[in-house]
Amino acid sequence: MTDGRPRHEGKVVVFGSACVDLLMQPDRLPRPGVTVLAPTYELLPGGKGANQAHACAMACEKKTSVHFVGAVGNDAFGDSLRAAFLDANVGVSGLVTHATLPTACAAVIVDQNGENQIAVGSGANNAVTTAQLDFLDKNVKDHALLPGDVLLQQMEIPMEEVRKAVEIAHLIGAFSVLNVAPSAPVPEETLRKLDFLVVNEHEAADVFASLSETNEVAKDVSGHFFKTSQNAAVAQSAAIASTTGVAVIVTLGAEGAAACLPTRPSLARVGEKSDASSSGPISQKKRKTISTRVDVLRVSALALVGDERVVDTTGAGDAFVGAFCASLASRRSLPDCLKRASVAGTLGCTRVGARAGVPRIDEIEKRAVGVAVVAEWGDDVDDETAASTLAAPAAAWTRRGV
């Protein structure tokens, strides 16, 4: 059973939330107990899961497909979200309609400086279950999670379902990516079964604090990493990575992002090239060896040009994660994945709304040449091995490799 879309080589399954955004733009954000007026409002498709599926579809190459697994209500909002998925070429065979719960709705307020406040009524998002992933179904549906697929999740559906989905991906051999947004603790056992964890600075601090409560080693090694990184979020991310084995990508706003990598592609794999070599040169630095080795790839933020400016940061993280997963599924190198994600995340801030500024693959490829990547090795690496390692598919940096 299919939804009419052709089969593809790479596949991203987004398991998460969908909602309608009620967007208002007053001059300033409201304080507690204070009402502010906005000239008008818009109803837009949203939800972190749906937004990331949209961004992923925009960043996909022809050989890669994107499918959304989630729930909407039996209402007009649900109909509009289903139509938005189809317009973006996102498969909806895994999108169910709940009989009683309404489609989720988010109140999104963005001020004249691009800062935002968001409150979400979850509705049908609370009814999403891992049974919808159809990983055991003999009649394979388009959205069914299969070995080698990329599973992308966020934190707007019940945590128990997120945890179970990570377990399923781990067992069947799919690559699991978790964006900890909105921020919440992630159990250590879940971290140990993830392939990529994507966080911003606040989320990194929250995950690290939660991990430190159950694992004293994480707190101990974070001091070592801070000495080399001089950045608390990078140090915390490196500590999470070294303690649990998950590759952690932390976004740093205007400073770009950093990938903290506890697993390096094996010598048997470094000769395997990604589908395309990384655009532009990659700088390499050798950090002083510390007690636990973690490689760090730093990617710069895209420089805006002409009339481009940051007007709304609401969709930056979703655009970043979506482009990263599209590139991961297309077997791009890790530097390529990071560059493309940086382009999408930055351009996602240049228009109001979570999706309005999300770029398509042709613009991402064009602008990626202006993004720099610096490799900081956790121990000594000769130039030939470094070059081969950086050219390996991004999946080779996970604990399971490729």
Side-chain angles (χ1 to χ4, degrees), residues 76-233:
F77 281 178
D79 293 341
S80 68
L81 290 177
R82 190 178 294 272
F85 281 126
L86 294 174
D87 286 344
N89 203 32
V90 174
V92 293
S93 61
L95 179 63
V96 302
T97 300
H98 198 277
T100 58
L101 291 175
T103 300
C105 182
V108 182
I109 305 173
V110 181
D111 70 12
Q112 59 184 352
N113 297 316
E115 297 298 323
N116 66 76
Q117 290 180 347
I118 303 173
V120 180
S122 295
N125 285 336
N126 280 337
V128 175
T129 72
T130 52
Q132 295 172 240
L133 292 172
D134 289 322
F135 64 99
L136 295 177
D137 196 330
K138 293 181 180 179
N139 298 314
V140 178
K141 300 180 177 66
D142 285 349
H143 70 272
L145 187 65
L146 302 174
D149 289 347
V150 174
L151 172 69
L152 170 57
Q153 298 189 86
Q154 313 75 33
M155 303 289 278
E156 287 186 338
I157 61 174
M159 182 59 205
E160 179 60 16
E161 299 305 315
V162 172
R163 185 196 64 77
K164 289 193 291 187
V166 171
E167 182 83 24
I168 290 167
H170 181 74
L171 289 174
I172 70 172
F175 293 100
S176 187
V177 181
L178 176 61
N179 176 214
V180 189
S183 187
V186 180
E188 182 175 347
E189 63 180 18
T190 299
L191 293 172
R192 292 185 177 278
K193 293 176 180 177
L194 278 169
D195 293 296
F196 288 98
L197 181 76
V198 185
V199 290
N200 63 22
E201 295 169 270
H202 300 296
E203 294 154 3
D206 290 345
V207 174
F208 173 75
S210 176
L211 178 62
S212 298
E213 291 177 359
T214 59
N215 192 315
E216 294 183 359
V217 175
K219 186 180 295 185
D220 292 340
V221 300
S222 66
H224 293 289
F225 290 117
F226 184 77
K227 291 178 182 178
T228 59
S229 68
Q230 295 299 304
N231 181 294

Side-chain angles (χ1 to χ4, degrees), residues 34-77:
V34 176
T35 298
V36 297
L37 299 180
T40 186
Y41 66 89
E42 292 182 84
L43 290 174
L44 302 170
K48 295 202 72 66
N51 288 342
Q52 291 181 14
H54 176 88
C56 193
M58 295 300 99
C60 270
E61 301 171 51
K62 290 182 179 180
K63 62 185 178 182
T64 303
S65 64
V66 181
H67 301 267
F68 183 79
V69 177
V72 294
N74 186 19
D75 48 39
F77 281 178

